[in-house]
Amino acid sequence: MFKKLHIQMTFFCTLVTSLILVAMSCVCLYIAESGIRKGSYPTFVNNVSSTLSHLENQSRLTHQWILEMEASYQFMIDVRDNGTPLLFRSLNRDENTEQLLIQAENMAKDAYDLDISGPDSVGILSRHAEFSMKGLDGSDYYVSAALIPKARGHISVLILYSLQAEQAALRQQRTLFILVDIAAILILGIFSLFFTKRMIRPIEESRQRQMQFIASASHELRSPLTVMLTSLSAMKIASHEEAENFSEIIHSEGERMSHLINDMLELANAANGSWSIHPRMLELDTLVLQTFEKYEGLAKKKGLSLSVSLPEETIPDCCCDGERIAQVFSILIDNAFSYTPAGGKVCLNLSVKGSEAVISVSDNGPGIPDEEKKIIFDRFYRADKAHKSKAHFGLGLCIAKEIVKLHRGRITLEDTPGGGATFSVTLPLQ
């Protein structure tokens, strides 16, 4: 399932980012080409003006100068003196060039009323027209047709500027954009492959934790249910006294199941954000003493030494839910009692560090291995791998962590000096 989701997300991310990239590239390419096209015609007009100005002011025209203008401006210049082409131009002119010149001359005459071949159209002032045309060869050209009066007649000029070089440059630019886009899409695809994998990883881990939770919950619920069903079967053939014993077993296992279900519901409420607290101003030292008195008798019964340590200075009140915080203390002390052997010590300590109160529960039991400290707060974690203790389901520390988190505090685990484990709850004060 996750592999298919990974492929779909990779394809979707690559597709969306590629479409955005291609769209932006098209916009940039359009702007660049528009700028080139808009700039090429004014440049042509300026170069033509410079050329015609020279022709108007010069009494003699050299072949060398025409060749230099053609090389500088990429022009094709046809100059006629009183209708007669220059000799060196007429000798080198091919059929295609001749057709282009005739086409340009006819277009100037028909569209702009400028007949450069007729002497009757020559006036006192120079006349010229600039326009664009598509040649018979399929190429685009800018054209300038001019009539320049002289003392001994007139000079007619046709200037053609081919746009083939410009169009070739535009095609090259488009090809470059396409290659860059293809390379970028490949890079985006590789990036999306790793990025989506990283995005899916928390979902996979959550799914895995969910499956582990269901498996652990099923195991924990199956055990008391099996005992209850077995006891019910045995009651049918048992004596009156034995039936009462089986009844007590069923009642005890039912309470275990009820306790487990309540814990699971609390964690479910914490996970979906519906677990609420009712904070009010409380004295933490009073809450700690009440917890100590509550467990003092149980400690003696288990053969443990339970002590409490409070600071001498006055502790500011803490805004918290007293019942929930007392539940955290109970979970920590109950765990300490369960894993501390007879004759051991459990200490409940309250201290103030800056604007925070720290309540710690330490014991001198076997402690917790370093490799298990990272998973100590996971659901259904139990240091008792054999699940011999029926009083714990491995949900207590997870519930305690959620309660402390609701109070914007934190819970940590450290080794007790000399052996054992110390759980510390840090809460913000008023």
Side-chain angles (χ1 to χ4, degrees), residues 284 315 351-358 408-410 426-429:
L284 283 179
I315 300 176
S351 61
V352 177
K353 294 182 179 179
S355 60
E356 295 178 325
V358 180
R408 302 189 306 278
R410 58 188 182 276
T426 304
L427 298 173
L429 294 172

Side-chain angles (χ1 to χ4, degrees), residues 335-336 339-341 344-347 361-370 373 376 412-423:
N335 277 348
Y339 297 106
T340 302
K345 297 180 180 180
V346 177
C347 181
V361 177
S362 57
D363 61 65
N364 61 349
I368 299 173
D370 292 338
K373 288 179 180 178
I376 190 69
T412 56
L413 168 63
E414 297 177 349
D415 292 329
T416 303
T422 299
F423 287 90

Side-chain angles (χ1 to χ4, degrees), residues 10-28:
T10 300
F11 174 77
F12 179 76
C13 290
T14 304
L15 178 63
V16 172
T17 52
S18 298
L19 289 175
I20 295 174
L21 175 66
V22 171
M24 294 301 295
S25 298
C26 291
V27 171
C28 293

Side-chain angles (χ1 to χ4, degrees), residues 213-411:
F213 177 79
I214 294 173
S216 300
S218 301
H219 174 76
E220 295 292 349
L221 287 171
R222 184 177 58 185
S223 297
L225 185 60
T226 301
V227 174
M228 293 171 67
L229 293 175
T230 303
S231 299
L232 283 172
S233 300
M235 285 179 65
K236 296 178 180 180
I237 58 175
S239 63
H240 179 71
E241 294 181 355
E242 290 176 340
E244 290 183 355
N245 184 39
F246 286 131
S247 177
E248 290 180 1
I249 293 175
I250 292 172
H251 183 266
S252 175
E253 294 299 320
E255 288 184 343
R256 284 189 67 228
M257 289 184 66
S258 176
H259 180 64
L260 173 59
I261 292 172
N262 288 335
D263 287 348
M264 292 170 62
L265 287 175
E266 286 187 347
L267 287 176
N269 291 333
N272 60 30
S274 62
W275 198 7
S276 60
I277 59 174
H278 305 283
R280 59 188 180 89
M281 302 307 298
L282 291 176
E283 297 177 351
L284 283 179
D285 50 357
T286 301
L287 194 60
V288 170
L289 284 174
Q290 290 175 349
T291 304
F292 170 75
E293 293 172 355
K294 176 182 177 182
Y295 283 91
E296 187 177 14
L298 181 60
K300 292 179 180 180
K301 185 178 179 180
K302 288 179 172 287
L304 300 174
S305 173
L306 178 63
S307 60
V308 62
S309 175
L310 301 175
E312 296 181 358
E313 65 273 10
T314 303
I315 300 176
D317 291 346
C318 178
C319 185
C320 62
D321 187 328
E323 293 184 3
R324 291 299 184 185
I325 296 299
Q327 183 181 0
V328 172
F329 295 162
S330 297
I331 290 171
L332 297 181
I333 291 178
D334 191 42
N335 277 348
F337 282 3
S338 298
Y339 297 106
T340 302
K345 297 180 180 180
V346 177
C347 181
L348 183 60
N349 180 74
L350 171 63
S351 61
V352 177
K353 294 182 179 179
S355 60
E356 295 178 325
V358 180
I359 307 97
S360 61
V361 177
S362 57
D363 61 65
N364 61 349
I368 299 173
D370 292 338
E371 62 273 11
E372 297 185 11
K373 288 179 180 178
K374 294 181 179 179
I375 59 174
I376 190 69
F377 295 101
D378 289 353
R379 298 177 182 184
F380 290 107
Y381 168 83
R382 294 173 66 174
D384 175 19
K385 302 300 182 183
H387 291 204
K388 295 179 181 179
S389 175
K390 294 187 177 182
H392 296 88
F393 301 101
L395 297 177
L397 290 177
C398 184
I399 293 174
K401 182 180 178 181
E402 295 295 337
I403 294 174
V404 173
K405 187 188 297 183
L406 285 174
H407 286 81
R408 302 189 306 278
R410 58 188 182 276
I411 182 170

